[in-house]
Amino acid sequence: MDPHSSGRTARSLETLHALGYFVPEVEEEVTALGVRRGRGAYFASRSAAMGRVGPGPVAATFFVFSPSLVAHFVPACWEAATPEDVIAARYRGVDAAYRRLLGQEVLDSPEMAEAAGLARTAAGACAPEGRALYAAHADQPWPEAPHLVLFHALTLIREHRGDGHVATLLGHGLSGLESLVTHTATGTGFTVPAAQATRGWSSEEWGACAADLHRRGLLAADGSLTEQGQALRASVETATDELGHAPWAALGDEGADRLRTLGRPWVKQMVAGGVFPAGVLA
């Protein structure tokens, strides 16, 4: 398997992990502990694996969020609940969401068990060096239910790839906000209003960043990517695929293709079930 194919595989399965950030079941479980709704639940549920950390490590590893936004919710979340309780709440919410979106018959199917095994094999090939967020999640025990094994494995792969993506962005001379602005300019991922609102950047900060990227020749006057900007983003994605290649190389073409085939109808079912709020993704 080549790195480009592995990147395509990772993106095709992303929904099976990313639902944990959008479904109401996770927020309900985490906020029942006393954590604030919305981004408070998000920061707590994703960072809990690192323990009772302050805003610095969260802003550093999450990368594209305004540090002031992070500091508004962290470490206040740990005054409401322990990281261990938040992790347990997250998985209770994910379990409930999978049951609602896919149904018990799918969760009990041999296909789900097969997908969980393939994903766990892939996750086992991830290495922790320089991957702080991945390493924190990798320290957590494996769940038992196949659909939660699948979610946990894809979480490990996602954070492993994300840590490599951050290293790549820094290597290409992009800050967190610059990375976010140039990514939305590709027309994929978050819409600009959603990116600003959820990542905590003001219109003034966003505009100043866009103006600087324009001066550097990466953005056109209308906010779209220039040829130079497109080349930079393409280089970022290529390097990210290369750094995230190990888990998919462990499966090989046949294993990765089988996992994509198994996951495809579940992804479609989740999207059809409204897992992503309207207006958030481009």
Side-chain angles (χ1 to χ4, degrees):
M1 168 170 278
D2 64 86
H4 178 69
S5 296
S6 68
R8 187 174 69 251
T9 299
R11 289 186 290 273
S12 73
L13 298 167
E14 178 74 6
T15 298
L16 300 175
H17 155 76
L19 89 164
Y21 305 131
F22 295 96
V23 293
E25 289 90 343
V26 172
E27 182 172 77
E28 288 166 4
E29 289 285 352
V30 174
T31 57
L33 302 174
V35 177
R36 293 178 62 181
R37 287 192 174 276
R39 286 164 292 187
Y42 169 80
F43 287 131
S45 65
R46 190 179 174 201
S47 70
M50 294 190 288
R52 196 181 294 268
V53 293
V58 176
T61 53
F62 288 22
F63 193 61
V64 294
F65 289 84
S66 167
S68 63
L69 176 69
V70 176
H72 190 66
F73 295 99
V74 181
C77 56
W78 311 133
E79 298 172 7
T82 66
E84 293 78 11
D85 285 344
V86 170
I87 292 171
R90 183 192 197 195
Y91 277 81
R92 287 196 301 271
V94 168
D95 177 50
Y98 263 77
R99 293 178 188 280
R100 172 175 62 86
L101 292 163
L102 297 183
Q104 193 63 44
E105 184 177 352
V106 170
L107 302 193
D108 292 338
S109 68
E111 289 80 10
M112 180 61 72
E114 182 185 359
L118 288 168
R120 185 165 183 169
T121 296
C126 296
E129 289 85 359
R131 319 244 187 178
L133 199 50
Y134 156 76
H137 285 272
D139 275 350
Q140 304 307 309
W142 281 88
E144 295 183 4
H147 63 287
L148 295 182
V149 171
L150 176 64
F151 172 79
H152 185 66
L154 293 177
T155 296
L156 298 183
I157 294 168
R158 168 62 183 83
E159 299 298 11
H160 177 269
R161 179 178 173 86
D163 287 336
H165 187 54
V166 170
T168 296
L169 290 164
L170 289 171
H172 282 74
L174 294 174
S175 68
L177 178 54
E178 291 166 347
S179 302
L180 191 60
V181 172
T182 55
H183 186 253
T184 57
T186 66
T188 60
F190 286 109
T191 63
V192 171
Q196 290 178 350
T198 61
R199 272 50 184 162
W201 300 102
S202 68
S203 296
E204 292 76 18
E205 291 170 319
W206 190 279
C209 178
D212 185 60
L213 291 169
H214 176 59
R215 285 192 292 270
R216 289 163 57 183
L218 299 175
L219 284 187
D222 64 358
S224 62
L225 289 172
T226 62
E227 288 188 11
Q228 181 182 345
Q230 292 174 8
L232 183 142
R233 287 302 318 191
S235 178
V236 165
E237 294 306 319
T238 296
T240 298
D241 287 345
E242 291 171 351
L243 288 177
H245 183 50
W248 306 114
L251 284 185
D253 287 312
E254 183 176 347
D257 182 65
R258 178 59 178 163
L259 184 54
R260 283 197 303 268
T261 300
L262 290 167
R264 188 175 298 116
W266 304 335
V267 169
K268 290 181 178 178
Q269 194 168 336
M270 287 181 172
V271 172
V275 69
F276 298 118
V280 172
L281 300 177

